[in-house]
Amino acid sequence: MSRSSFSTVEKLTIINLIRNVHYSINEVASMYNLNWSTIRSWIHKFETLGEAGLEEAKSNTSYSNQPTIRSYFQLIDLACDQSPYFS
């Protein structure tokens, strides 16, 4: 079963095999033709973020290098906080 993405349900099934059925990560990695580090990453995401951590990203997020208005306000706030004139 080699492929690039697994559904959230499939990831939960794989995690369940390790946590509740007591297969080793290496055994499950061999069964699903996965690298053990991928499964370890899923377990970590599940433990820290819950089921939502296993969901696929909807799209790649890209950020502009241009400063935003919010960043200007944050810079002004920082300058005012550190200035003796605005104490």
Side-chain angles (χ1 to χ4, degrees):
M1 182 183 251
S2 177
R3 63 176 195 250
S4 61
S5 66
F6 286 76
S7 72
T8 302
V9 172
E10 291 169 316
K11 292 174 186 177
L12 286 169
T13 300
I14 289 169
I15 291 170
N16 182 57
L17 287 172
I18 295 162
R19 295 179 79 187
N20 299 323
V21 184
H22 305 293
Y23 281 96
S24 72
I25 291 177
N26 287 333
E27 288 172 320
V28 176
S30 292
M31 289 169 31
Y32 287 89
N33 195 24
L34 285 166
N35 190 304
W36 68 268
S37 63
T38 300
I39 297 173
R40 186 69 200 117
S41 171
W42 293 347
I43 292 170
H44 177 72
K45 288 177 183 179
F46 179 72
E47 289 173 348
T48 56
L49 302 171
E51 194 172 318
L54 300 176
E55 294 176 2
E56 288 294 318
K58 302 292 184 230
S59 64
N60 289 336
T61 304
S62 62
Y63 299 97
S64 168
N65 288 333
Q66 297 296 318
T68 63
I69 290 177
R70 181 178 178 189
S71 66
Y72 284 120
F73 283 119
Q74 289 172 335
L75 184 59
I76 291 168
D77 286 343
L78 180 64
C80 290
D81 287 346
Q82 294 179 357
S83 173
Y85 300 109
F86 297 101
S87 298

